Amino acid sequence: MDPEQWQSVLDVIPDVRDGLTRTERLILYLIHETQKERGGRNVPTVMLYGRVLEYVDMSEAELHVYLDRLGVRGDGTQ
């Protein structure tokens, strides 16, 4: 298996420590960092999507699937 294939496998396997995939952990990290930049305010999905695309190639629909799985709602509640 070449390094790119191995990396794609690692992106979808849940971590034994907390059950999060690398992509889920990245999304949560970016939400946290962006909220800090915005003074604690909610992060618009479009802004989050742009930041996620800097690290992971995914569609907007895929991001919504991850957000649903993580329990993040568009109305600002969790």
Side-chain angles (χ1 to χ4, degrees):
M1 196 179 296
D2 68 31
E4 288 180 17
Q5 290 174 323
W6 183 245
Q7 184 63 42
S8 66
V9 168
L10 289 176
D11 287 341
V12 296
I13 295 176
D15 191 298
V16 68
R17 296 171 293 181
D18 55 15
L20 294 175
T21 65
R22 194 175 278 178
T23 303
E24 290 168 338
R25 187 173 287 104
L26 172 70
I27 291 169
L28 289 176
Y29 173 77
L30 291 173
I31 289 171
H32 176 73
E33 289 299 308
T34 308
Q35 279 181 327
K36 286 193 321 190
E37 289 174 16
R38 294 175 47 81
R41 297 185 327 209
N42 292 334
V43 179
T45 305
V46 173
M47 180 183 285
L48 176 63
Y49 180 59
R51 292 180 183 216
V52 168
L53 283 179
E54 293 178 17
Y55 299 94
V56 180
D57 184 24
M58 71 170 55
S59 69
E60 189 174 348
E62 288 174 303
L63 175 63
H64 283 281
V65 170
Y66 277 106
L67 293 175
D68 289 343
R69 190 178 318 148
L70 293 168
V72 178
R73 294 188 180 157
D75 60 1
T77 61
Q78 290 186 345

